[in-house]
Amino acid sequence: MTYTFLLPAYKTRFLNEAIESILKQTYTDFSLIVIDDASPEDVRGIVAAHNDPRISYRRNEQNIGGKDLVAQWNHCLSFVESDYFVMATDDDVYEKEFLTTLVGLTKKYPDADLFRARVAQVDSNNNLIALDRCYKERLSPTEFTYHMLHGMRGGIPQYMFRSKRLIEKGGFVNFPKAWASDDATALLMAGNGVINSQEHLVRFRYSDINISSDKSCGCEKVKARLMFSKWLNENITLAEGNDEWNKFYKKGINDFLPIYHKTTLIQTLRQLPLSQRWQSLKTIKESKIFTTTDLLSIIRHSMVK
């Protein structure tokens, strides 16, 4: 088997829909492994209701994702035996041509380690909220870095990874609540370019039960943002060469990176209750990543809704 969907499951509200979207893929030669993260809900029953030989079920003895979501992703990675895998979720859904399209791209670009589908963001009722931009089919690592810093939509379920390469690199990059872990891991895997679909093939669900909308863990999200800022400063490598396009991308990255660090923190802070904002601002100050001028700018802009 060359392709695997991993699906770590804890919540069941959208789980059946997520599983059905995978099983309805037009490309049918794949396996689906559902990893029940010691959920108190009936994950096993939902999986068992699908009489499909491509599905297998695992259950963790203890909950992993509640303490460390990326540790759960890396635990799931230990079950992969295929050349490529997709880390699905228990609330997002795939268009039926997702795997057909990405399989075609793996054959067209056999040297690449990372494949990416365009994302359509939806609400709890599957209504469209926002659409990912269109990028050229193959992006160099420098181009991918530039676009990620300039508004490319992130998310773990949109990627197909070369299994061996990610394992060699130590698995998913671990930040609290997996906040920015998807972006860091994608950058880690982008060394041989990033291959993009031209169609919107993943419906990323923004609802009241996912981490994106969870305000209770705001301080941890801010810590993750600080860790990601440090990680970016230490791990971004730009291609050599002074042709017109490469110079543009490199300048766009170098000039914008300090702004990116500030604006993403401000965006995160603005979503938090006031008490968490003040606590997080103290954490930002203690990190000593920002100058006094930058810190004052972050404080001022984060207090404006």
Side-chain angles (χ1 to χ4, degrees), residues 19-27 30 54 95-97:
I19 291 174
E20 285 187 348
S21 77
I22 294 172
L23 297 179
K24 290 179 179 178
Q25 293 295 301
T26 55
Y27 186 94
F30 64 86
R54 295 172 297 179
E95 303 293 350
K96 64 180 181 180
E97 294 295 324

Side-chain angles (χ1 to χ4, degrees), residues 114 135 160 192 218 234 240-241 297 302:
L114 185 65
Y135 302 95
M160 176 181 283
N192 291 325
E234 294 174 350
E240 297 180 1
S297 176
S302 65

